[in-house]
Amino acid sequence: MSRLLYTCAYDGLAYCGWQSQRGGNSVQDTIETAMSRILKEPVRIAASGRTDAGVHAHAQCFHADVPAACRMNAENWVAALNAHLPADIRIMHVRQVADDFHARFDAVGKEYEYLISRAEVLSPFMRGRVWHVPHSFDAAALAEALRVYEGTHDFRRFAANRGNEPAEPPADFYIRTIFCASLQEEGDLLRLRFHGNGFMYRMVRLLVGTAHQVARGRMSRGDLAAMLDKPLGGKTRYCAPAEGLYLHRVFYEK
Amino acid sequence: MSRLLYTCAYDGLAYCGWQSQRGGNSVQDTIETAMSRILKEPVRIAASGRTDAGVHAHAQCFHADVPAACRMNAENWVAALNAHLPADIRIMHVRQVADDFHARFDAVGKEYEYLISRAEVLSPFMRGRVWHVPHSFDAAALAEALRVYEGTHDFRRFAANRGNEPAEPPADFYIRTIFCASLQEEGDLLRLRFHGNGFMYRMVRLLVGTAHQVARGRMSRGDLAAMLDKPLGGKTRYCAPAEGLYLHRVFYEK
């Protein structure tokens, strides 16, 4: 047996999200089916985390164990899997890792990208790939609002319930660190980046949606700071749509 | 009656091309249907020219006549038509033109863009939108080959037969001027631009496909020049795929 770490990109538009779902058309199921065809035996893969329906990835990571009898090296896996996958899911590269490596538990950080288009008319080439916000808002105020999130905070007001919660998570579950939350303006396109040590369910979309309220002048940066300082208040109601979100990078030690 | 000039963008992937076709799903039919719904009467539109199945447009132009009774101004037309069109076709702007203006006959030039991706693995976000050429070729040689096309030449060896040709076209039909044929390298992406006074059926794709033979070292620039200087030889066999091609701009006087 040998353990391989795969990096893949996908356009999430056609999928019900990463995670296997009964009767659902998930990215995970699609990849497992392709791998099973190649190996001629059932395969389970473990990702760095889930992505929701419609969310994209530039570089999602997952690991899988392949039998010692499998002669394919990492490079062959890229071509073989891509030949069995639809064009909206691509394996970008593959490398061998230690047998106890885990794509989720060994991740030390993640970077998400969120795209907003301010174009009056959305280009047909951007549909399903950005949040289209043609009404006016202050991009500089958005950039400043994002900075409020930087640092170590209790982000529970920016975590959605999945609906199938287990027992109450440990108290430090909601404490996360955002190393950097930045905004780059490229013409009509705003490129937001969030680099942190871990993100909860819908967290990035809730961070974007709420910061956008500041950019619209409906909340102040002080209100945002108070949501971090007083984590026992109500959860934010402002969730930016899935289609603007990209899992951009997963960080591992070394 | 007043004549309006519409500029639209479309992702050609789902369409059988611009031109109305019996039983076909064309861009023209889709727009005419949307306009007819708004005006509650049949509408015919006339474009600057056709695009093939799978070919895209950043800025195709077409004109249409709307009844004097129609109170919508140009700006209202953008919103109204976009509300009736699928997201892969977008009206970018509309302006009023003289009653004798014609989107095709008054065009004095066109610019096409052709995108080539040299990425080893094609990004899922580029599928259907570039010609994916992962094998090695010389981009500098491609740029030099494109320069051979510049100027006024008889391009008949770079014009495909449509299959339903009318009588022999006039002798000067094949004489076209390419003002500029350039290449810009952006990482893995090659952006080719062709600005000319008019292009024949499949001409840009044939220019790209044949220049690519030079970039692969299978033809010389001298061979290319000879195809322009001796127009009565056989037509080129090298046609680049539709999905990399974009009608980028249509030029009108003033």
Side-chain angles (χ1 to χ4, degrees):
Chain A
M1 188 214 83
S2 92
R3 185 159 285 190
L4 298 173
L5 177 64
Y6 300 75
T7 304
C8 68
Y10 47 86
D11 178 341
L13 195 63
Y15 296 94
C16 66
W18 171 267
Q19 184 88 348
S20 270
Q21 276 180 40
R22 198 184 298 249
N25 173 36
S26 74
V27 179
Q28 180 183 355
D29 287 324
T30 307
I31 295 174
E32 285 179 348
T33 301
M35 291 186 79
S36 301
R37 273 200 200 125
I38 293 168
L39 292 173
K40 297 182 175 57
E41 60 180 59
V43 179
R44 290 296 285 177
I45 64 179
S48 72
R50 310 174 184 188
T51 56
D52 269 358
V55 172
H56 314 289
H58 291 130
Q60 165 72 293
C61 291
F62 63 89
H63 76 257
D65 292 329
V66 300
C70 172
R71 298 282 186 87
M72 288 204 293
N73 64 21
E75 203 170 311
N76 296 149
W77 265 108
V78 174
L81 253 179
N82 282 334
H84 283 79
L85 285 169
D88 55 2
I89 302 178
R90 292 287 89 182
I91 305 296
M92 305 309 283
H93 45 87
V94 180
R95 66 183 172 92
Q96 194 168 347
V97 287
D99 290 354
D100 63 349
F101 175 92
H102 195 289
R104 180 168 163 211
F105 302 122
D106 285 345
V108 294
K110 279 188 184 169
E111 189 170 44
Y112 281 93
E113 187 167 88
Y114 196 96
L115 300 184
I116 298 175
S117 169
R118 316 179 72 181
E120 199 177 332
V121 178
L122 184 64
S123 158
F125 305 103
M126 296 301 262
R127 72 190 197 284
R129 298 181 180 179
V130 295
W131 181 17
H132 183 214
V133 189
H135 63 252
S136 93
F137 64 89
D138 183 345
L142 182 59
E144 283 175 16
L146 296 179
R147 296 286 176 204
V148 175
Y149 296 135
E150 292 183 345
T152 301
H153 306 283
D154 185 322
F155 282 100
R156 80 183 68 189
R157 296 177 75 172
F158 298 91
N161 298 321
R162 267 188 212 276
N164 57 348
E165 265 64 31
E168 192 61 15
D172 65 352
F173 177 79
Y174 298 110
I175 311 290
R176 308 287 170 123
T177 300
I178 293 185
F179 307 120
C180 182
S182 65
L183 183 153
Q184 206 177 315
E185 217 171 329
E186 300 170 7
D188 283 335
L189 191 74
L190 303 183
R191 191 183 295 276
L192 286 61
R193 288 272 178 90
F194 297 87
H195 177 201
N197 66 353
F199 295 87
M200 291 171 293
Y201 185 52
R202 295 239 165 119
M203 180 169 153
V204 178
R205 292 165 57 190
L206 293 165
L207 295 174
V208 173
T210 312
H212 176 244
Q213 290 298 309
V214 178
R216 293 182 77 182
R218 304 207 171 167
M219 283 175 60
S220 70
R221 273 187 292 157
D223 296 333
L224 221 53
M227 293 184 77
L228 299 172
D229 293 342
K230 299 181 184 122
L232 297 181
K235 290 186 186 287
T236 177
R237 292 177 297 119
Y238 305 104
C239 186
E243 59 255 39
L245 184 61
Y246 297 74
L247 173 52
H248 188 66
R249 200 170 160 193
V250 183
F251 296 90
Y252 296 103
E253 297 266 359
K254 60 193 165 162
Chain B
M1 186 215 83
S2 94
R3 185 160 285 189
L4 297 173
L5 177 65
Y6 300 76
T7 303
C8 67
Y10 47 87
D11 178 341
L13 196 63
Y15 297 94
C16 68
W18 171 267
Q19 184 88 348
S20 271
Q21 275 180 42
R22 197 185 298 252
N25 172 36
S26 73
V27 179
Q28 180 183 356
D29 287 324
T30 307
I31 295 174
E32 286 178 348
T33 301
M35 292 186 77
S36 301
R37 273 200 202 126
I38 293 168
L39 292 173
K40 296 182 175 57
E41 60 180 59
V43 179
R44 291 296 286 177
I45 64 179
S48 73
R50 309 174 186 190
T51 56
D52 269 358
V55 172
H56 314 289
H58 291 131
Q60 166 73 293
C61 292
F62 63 89
H63 76 256
D65 292 328
V66 300
C70 172
R71 297 281 185 89
M72 289 204 293
N73 64 20
E75 203 170 310
N76 296 149
W77 265 107
V78 173
L81 254 179
N82 283 333
H84 283 78
L85 285 168
D88 55 3
I89 303 178
R90 291 288 90 181
I91 304 296
M92 305 311 282
H93 45 87
V94 179
R95 66 182 172 91
Q96 194 170 348
V97 288
D99 290 353
D100 63 348
F101 176 91
H102 195 288
R104 180 167 163 213
F105 302 123
D106 285 344
V108 294
K110 277 187 183 168
E111 188 169 43
Y112 281 94
E113 187 166 87
Y114 195 96
L115 299 183
I116 298 176
S117 169
R118 315 179 72 183
E120 200 176 331
V121 177
L122 184 64
S123 158
F125 305 104
M126 296 300 263
R127 70 190 198 284
R129 298 182 180 178
V130 296
W131 180 18
H132 184 214
V133 189
H135 63 252
S136 92
F137 65 89
D138 184 343
L142 181 59
E144 284 176 14
L146 295 180
R147 295 286 176 204
V148 175
Y149 296 135
E150 292 182 344
T152 301
H153 306 284
D154 184 322
F155 282 99
R156 79 182 69 190
R157 296 177 76 172
F158 297 91
N161 298 321
R162 270 190 210 272
N164 58 348
E165 265 66 31
E168 191 61 17
D172 65 353
F173 177 79
Y174 299 110
I175 310 291
R176 308 286 171 126
T177 299
I178 293 185
F179 307 119
C180 182
S182 65
L183 183 153
Q184 204 177 315
E185 219 170 328
E186 299 169 9
D188 283 337
L189 191 74
L190 303 182
R191 191 182 296 275
L192 286 63
R193 287 272 177 91
F194 297 86
H195 177 201
N197 64 353
F199 294 88
M200 291 171 291
Y201 186 52
R202 296 237 162 118
M203 180 169 154
V204 178
R205 291 165 58 189
L206 293 164
L207 294 174
V208 173
T210 312
H212 177 243
Q213 290 296 310
V214 177
R216 294 182 75 182
R218 302 206 172 168
M219 282 175 60
S220 70
R221 273 187 292 156
D223 295 334
L224 221 52
M227 293 182 77
L228 299 171
D229 294 341
K230 301 183 184 116
L232 298 180
K235 289 184 187 290
T236 178
R237 292 178 295 120
Y238 305 104
C239 187
E243 59 255 39
L245 185 60
Y246 297 73
L247 175 51
H248 188 67
R249 200 170 159 192
V250 183
F251 296 90
Y252 294 103
E253 297 267 359
K254 57 191 167 162

